[in-house]
């Protein structure tokens, strides 16, 4: 499919690369593409970053029929730009779409759209250590209609944002709060889809965690509130004795691409990595008997994020001595070295965009 390009007349000033934060500034261009039942997905176009004008009755605004993705473009040592496992994001986008009754898009078209947009915006890929260009493909339902049904029309768009660390803590250990008042998702629901409502549903628990001085919420399963699921914007790993454990994909957690990469990396190093149920009681027990060695989160925005403290009711689980554990460090280093093209890519995870 031919992607048309309409360049912006004036370009924005780029932000200070040493002070990027997360998701606050957006590049000069975006990609748009539309769907209607007659033409299917059509008219992919790169055009100036601009407001989306829509009627107040637009379906996504009322019923949340929308999905999104998050991946990054990295500047490698020779100045070229590369993506990390973008095919996985494209596949997950379609899986999320399927769950939300949104028509799937040809994976090659989405991948090509991402590559071409990032290539047009290559000057927006920052070069300072720890920074990258966050890529946000999104699909929204666009029928102006108030009845509850799947929309007939959709807009697909991609926007780009130069980013630094997601958490203000950077790579320092974060503190997470186990909520017992709320649940994020249940099996059969939409927890494993990357859909808008999952994030809206998490906000109140997030606010409560912040009030208590915690960065993120650790969600337990929605039925028994016993088994660990994931954190607001990342999957989670526990190093218990010689085993690295991450909750199995139960149908209610997001199948993270960083999670999958950590599992594959760990196994390639000969470590025992288990995807299984792990209860909060098992974590408490492991802390009590001294076998809880490390806890870390994994995500595109969060990369590898060490966890230093978990609050569960009146119990406080402190992990290690507050410094970054050796496995968290090893996963962080290995993953980012591949993502930034500083090390070999034995798994074939990296996809070049230019240079
Ligand atoms: N879980 C949730 C709820 C997320 O929003 C994310 C971020 O995308 C993740 C996990 C991690 O997924 P990934 O590693 O694909 O970024
Ligand atoms: C990501 O890691 O890409 C996320 O989507 C996390 C958050 C910004 C929603």
């Amino acid at each position: 499919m031919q992607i048309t390009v309409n360049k912006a007349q004036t370009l924005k000033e780029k932000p200070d690369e040493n002070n990027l934060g997360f998701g606050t500034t957006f590049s000069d261009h975006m990609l748009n593409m539309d769907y209607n039942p007659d033409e299917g997905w059509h008219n992919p176009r790169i055009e100036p970053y601009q407001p989306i004008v829509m009627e107040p009755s637009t379906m996504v605004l009322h019923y949340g029929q929308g999905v999104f993705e998050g991946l990054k473009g990295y500047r490698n040592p020779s100045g070229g730009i590369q993506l990390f496992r973008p095919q996985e994001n494209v596949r997950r986008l379609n899986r999320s779409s399927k769950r939300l009754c949104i028509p799937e898009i040809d994976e090659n078209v989405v991948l090509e759209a991402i590559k071409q947009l990032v290539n047009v915006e290559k000057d927006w890929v920052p070069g300072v250590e720890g920074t990258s260009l966050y890529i946000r493909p999104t699909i929204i339902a666009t029928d102006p209609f108030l009845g509850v049904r799947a929309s007939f029309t959709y807009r697909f768009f991609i926007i780009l944002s130069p980013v630094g660390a997601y958490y203000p803590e950077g790579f320092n250990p974060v503190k997470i709060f186990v909520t017992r008042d709320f649940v994020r998702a249940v099996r059969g629901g939409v927890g494993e889809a990357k859909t808008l409502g999952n994030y809206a549903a998490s906000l109140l628990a997030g606010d409560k965690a912040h009030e208590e001085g915690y960065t993120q919420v650790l969600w337990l399963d929605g039925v028994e509130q016993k088994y660990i699921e994931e954190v607001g914007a990342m999957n989670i790993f526990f190093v218990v004795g010689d085993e690295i454990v991450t909750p199995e994909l139960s149908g209610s957690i997001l199948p993270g691409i960083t999670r999958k990469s950590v599992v594959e990396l760990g196994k390639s190093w000969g470590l025992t990595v288990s995807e299984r149920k792990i209860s909060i009681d098992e974590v408490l027990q492991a802390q009590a008997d001294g076998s809880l060695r490390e806890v870390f989160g994994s995500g595109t925005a969060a990369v590898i994020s060490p966890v230093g403290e978990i609050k569960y009711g009146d119990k406080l689980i402190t992990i290690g001595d507050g410094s970054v554990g050796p496995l968290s460090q090893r996963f962080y280093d290995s993953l980012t070295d591949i993502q930034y093209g500083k090390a070999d890519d034995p798994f074939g995870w990296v996809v070049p965009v230019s240079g």
Side-chain angles (χ1 to χ4, degrees):
M1 205 181 292
Q2 185 72 24
I3 300 175
T4 57
V5 181
N6 167 22
K7 289 267 182 81
Q9 297 288 321
T10 51
L11 300 182
K12 302 177 197 167
E13 200 175 314
K14 309 259 185 327
D16 174 7
E17 286 191 12
N18 291 299
N19 224 337
L20 286 173
F22 185 88
T24 54
T25 47
F26 303 95
S27 74
D28 293 305
H29 299 89
M30 67 189 295
L31 182 133
N32 282 305
M33 176 158 74
D34 297 299
Y35 178 91
N36 65 48
D38 292 336
E39 295 167 284
W41 285 108
H42 65 283
N43 192 17
R45 56 205 185 271
I46 291 170
E47 47 195 351
Y49 179 92
Q50 60 193 283
I52 297 176
V53 178
M54 55 175 108
E55 293 192 34
S57 57
T58 301
M59 288 188 80
V60 68
L61 301 178
H62 298 272
Y63 306 125
Q65 194 196 5
V67 294
F68 68 95
E69 267 305 323
L71 69 160
K72 283 173 169 175
Y74 306 86
R75 193 168 287 284
N76 65 31
S78 47
I81 295 154
Q82 52 191 46
L83 307 172
F84 183 71
R85 311 190 82 174
Q87 301 93 334
E88 296 281 342
N89 294 89
V90 172
R91 235 171 270 146
R92 189 171 65 189
L93 182 71
N94 271 340
R95 286 205 306 274
S96 298
S97 286
K98 212 166 175 183
R99 180 64 183 82
L100 273 290
C101 296
I102 295 170
E104 291 167 54
I105 314 181
D106 182 329
E107 290 176 9
N108 295 322
V109 171
V110 181
L111 188 57
E112 197 48 39
I114 293 170
K115 281 188 187 171
Q116 284 199 30
L117 180 64
V118 172
N119 202 30
V120 165
E121 299 290 63
K122 52 177 175 284
D123 291 347
W124 281 89
V125 183
V128 166
E129 170 126 28
T131 64
S132 55
L133 186 68
Y134 187 75
I135 305 166
R136 173 54 65 87
T138 307
I139 307 175
I140 55 171
T142 50
D143 279 8
F145 179 64
L146 288 187
V148 177
R149 59 149 170 80
S151 181
F152 298 135
T153 62
Y154 297 88
R155 164 70 62 89
F156 170 65
F157 64 87
I158 309 174
I159 56 173
L160 306 175
S161 176
V163 299
Y166 184 65
Y167 296 122
E169 289 91 337
F171 187 53
N172 295 315
V174 295
K175 293 162 65 176
I176 58 180
F177 185 87
V178 184
T179 178
R180 294 195 294 186
D181 297 335
F182 307 102
V183 298
R184 175 184 175 275
V186 289
R187 195 145 43 86
V190 292
E192 67 180 351
K194 208 163 166 63
T195 183
L196 319 184
N198 284 333
Y199 298 83
S202 74
L203 298 176
L204 185 54
D207 277 358
K208 300 238 153 139
H210 288 150
E211 278 166 23
E212 304 269 339
Y214 290 80
T215 316
Q216 287 270 308
V217 173
L218 178 62
W219 298 98
L220 300 179
D221 76 273
V223 178
E224 295 176 85
Q225 288 203 268
K226 188 171 162 191
Y227 296 100
I228 289 166
E229 297 239 305
E230 63 178 327
V231 184
M234 56 188 193
N235 296 108
I236 188 132
F237 287 81
F238 298 85
V239 184
V240 182
D242 290 331
E243 186 189 15
I244 304 171
V245 187
T246 193
E248 65 193 2
L249 298 178
S250 56
S252 53
I253 68 175
L254 193 80
I257 293 155
T258 323
R259 172 191 179 282
K260 185 174 179 178
S261 307
V262 167
V263 169
E264 290 169 19
L265 264 179
K267 286 185 176 166
S268 79
W269 297 337
L271 303 177
T272 305
V273 189
S274 313
E275 299 175 65
R276 64 167 173 86
K277 280 192 163 52
I278 177 165
S279 66
I280 187 73
D281 287 340
E282 182 180 342
V283 174
L284 284 167
Q285 180 56 40
Q287 192 218 13
D289 69 22
S291 60
L292 181 64
R293 288 164 48 199
E294 293 181 44
V295 181
F296 61 88
S298 70
T300 298
V303 198
I304 298 293
S305 185
V307 175
E309 194 178 308
I310 301 174
K311 181 90 192 295
Y312 176 56
D314 56 8
K315 300 193 177 72
L316 190 64
I317 307 174
T318 51
I319 300 118
D321 58 4
S323 61
V324 177
L327 268 175
S328 310
Q329 186 75 53
R330 187 174 179 197
F331 280 115
Y332 178 87
D333 290 343
S334 303
L335 203 59
T336 54
D337 279 356
I338 295 174
Q339 289 168 336
Y340 286 90
K342 293 182 188 161
D344 287 347
D345 173 27
F347 306 95
W349 285 342
V350 160
V351 172
V353 166
S354 71

